[in-house]
Amino acid sequence: MNPMDSPLDRLLAAAARAKRPLPQTAPLRVQSRVLAHGWGPVELFDDWMALIPTVRRALVWACAIAVVAVAIGYLELRTPASDEALWLNSALTLDSLP
Amino acid sequence: MAEERLDVPACLELVRQGDNEAARALLNHLYPLVISIVRGHLPRRASEEDLVQMIFVKVFSKLEQFSGTVPLEHWVSRIAVNTCLNALQAEKIRPELRWADLSEEEEHVIQSLAATTEDLEPGQHLAARDLVERLLGHLSAADRLVITLLHLEGRSVEEIRRLTGWNISLIKVRAFRARHKLRKHLALLMKEQRQ
């Protein structure tokens, strides 16, 4: 055994030995609530709960992509047009003059 | 006990036909198993009864899918463990654990761990359990589940594989990482105790 693990091992071993008495029958309240639901294929809220982390991750990624797109657009606007673009632009303007 | 003599296949058949009394008998037969899993994996803020109800509703609603190739208890355990795992994953807040937050008994446990290399006394076992549950609150749902199953419930890696559907390497890696994190948090508490 790794001596560094010793306190953790002793703690876990002691925790595993802690026995709390367990009820042997379901309280009537629980029985009524469960049986009132009936049975059969139903949509469960719990199944949707499992999707929450995925949806949250997708939202974060969508936001990150949107921010990057805005930043790129902004940089494009701020960057002065190259000489070639200016030359072409002036040529087009001159062409369009009567 | 009456619950131990329950004829499970016959009871299942009656439940499938819509017999309310058979459903009640089945619920009572499975309750000790489900409550022990829920208590071992209960998220901090969740209500025990709500989680038990959620598991049983799921069990009864999926009863048609139970083929009988595995014992009913294994099938129910798997549903219970996965439902608890989902509830743990939904719980995002992992509060910082400080020395000042510990109860007097938990402080004694830390002091004993720091002072000796002996096993903790039987009178400290419940406080040790509470302390472990507090420490587990720092771990992710999957890490917490693997430590609880492996170290607190004493299940084998093979049993955990059956319950969770994770492969054996993943279970071992998760257990290793989870132990590393637990060790780090425990060391911090022991350091605070010395100061």
Side-chain angles (χ1 to χ4, degrees), chain A residues 1-53 56-57, chain B residues 1 3 15-16 18-20 23-24 27-28 31-32 35-36 39 49-50 52-54 56-58 60-61 83 86 90 92 109 112-113 116-120 125-126 128-133 135 147 151-152 179 182-183 186 190:
Chain A
M1 186 174 69
N2 182 353
M4 292 293 286
D5 280 356
S6 190
L8 179 61
D9 285 333
R10 284 185 290 138
L11 179 65
L12 289 172
R17 284 187 213 116
K19 296 283 176 237
R20 292 188 176 119
L22 288 173
Q24 290 304 304
T25 53
L28 279 175
R29 199 170 45 248
V30 173
Q31 292 184 25
S32 317
R33 281 160 69 187
V34 172
L35 297 177
H37 257 276
W39 45 92
V42 288
E43 279 292 320
L44 290 169
F45 176 65
D46 185 48
D47 289 337
W48 290 104
M49 291 289 283
L51 288 176
I52 288 176
R56 192 183 290 138
R57 224 169 287 143
Chain B
M1 261 169 78
E3 284 77 19
V15 174
R16 284 178 177 137
D19 186 321
N20 224 34
R24 193 181 296 276
L27 190 148
N28 278 319
Y31 186 75
I35 194 72
S36 70
R39 287 196 178 164
E49 278 192 8
D50 286 349
V52 166
Q53 183 189 341
M54 199 185 279
F56 274 114
V57 168
K58 215 167 184 178
F60 281 116
S61 68
T83 307
N86 289 342
K92 279 284 161 194
V109 168
S112 304
L113 288 171
T116 69
T117 54
E118 301 295 313
D119 283 346
L120 294 171
H125 289 173
L126 275 177
R129 179 79 185 214
D130 290 339
L131 181 60
V132 167
E133 279 168 11
L135 289 168
I147 289 288
H151 294 291
L152 300 184
R179 283 174 57 85
L182 275 184
R183 205 183 306 136
L186 182 61
M190 289 170 81

Side-chain angles (χ1 to χ4, degrees), chain B residues 18-135:
Chain B
D19 186 321
N20 224 34
E21 277 316 302
R24 193 181 296 276
L26 189 65
L27 190 148
N28 278 319
H29 174 71
L30 295 169
Y31 186 75
L33 171 75
V34 171
I35 194 72
S36 70
I37 293 172
V38 166
R39 287 196 178 164
H41 309 278
L42 187 70
R44 262 179 344 106
R45 290 167 195 274
S47 146
E48 181 180 294
E49 278 192 8
D50 286 349
L51 208 49
V52 166
Q53 183 189 341
M54 199 185 279
I55 291 165
F56 274 114
V57 168
K58 215 167 184 178
V59 165
F60 281 116
S61 68
K62 292 184 173 181
L63 216 50
E64 288 299 322
Q65 295 169 22
F66 175 64
S67 59
T69 50
V70 292
L72 179 70
E73 287 76 9
H74 290 191
W75 184 74
V76 171
S77 298
R78 189 165 179 157
I79 290 176
V81 165
N82 284 318
T83 307
C84 290
L85 183 63
N86 289 342
L88 286 168
Q89 279 168 342
E91 187 188 57
K92 279 284 161 194
I93 302 162
R94 304 198 200 290
E96 189 76 11
L97 178 59
R98 311 303 304 248
W99 178 257
D101 301 328
L102 301 181
S103 68
E104 205 173 311
E105 291 82 9
E106 289 166 347
E107 286 178 9
H108 286 152
V109 168
I110 297 276
Q111 284 159 353
S112 304
L113 288 171
T116 69
T117 54
E118 301 295 313
D119 283 346
L120 294 171
E121 290 167 16
Q124 293 181 301
H125 289 173
L126 275 177
R129 179 79 185 214
D130 290 339
L131 181 60
V132 167
E133 279 168 11
R134 279 176 182 271
L135 289 168

Side-chain angles (χ1 to χ4, degrees), chain A residues 68-80:
Chain A
V68 169
V70 167
I72 290 172
Y74 180 71
L75 286 175
E76 287 279 321
L77 283 175
R78 294 275 308 225
T79 309

Side-chain angles (χ1 to χ4, degrees), chain B residues 139-158:
Chain B
L139 304 185
S140 68
D143 287 353
R144 181 177 170 161
L145 182 73
V146 83
I147 289 288
T148 306
L149 292 171
L150 198 62
H151 294 291
L152 300 184
E153 294 180 11
R155 293 181 191 260
S156 67
V157 174
E158 178 55 31

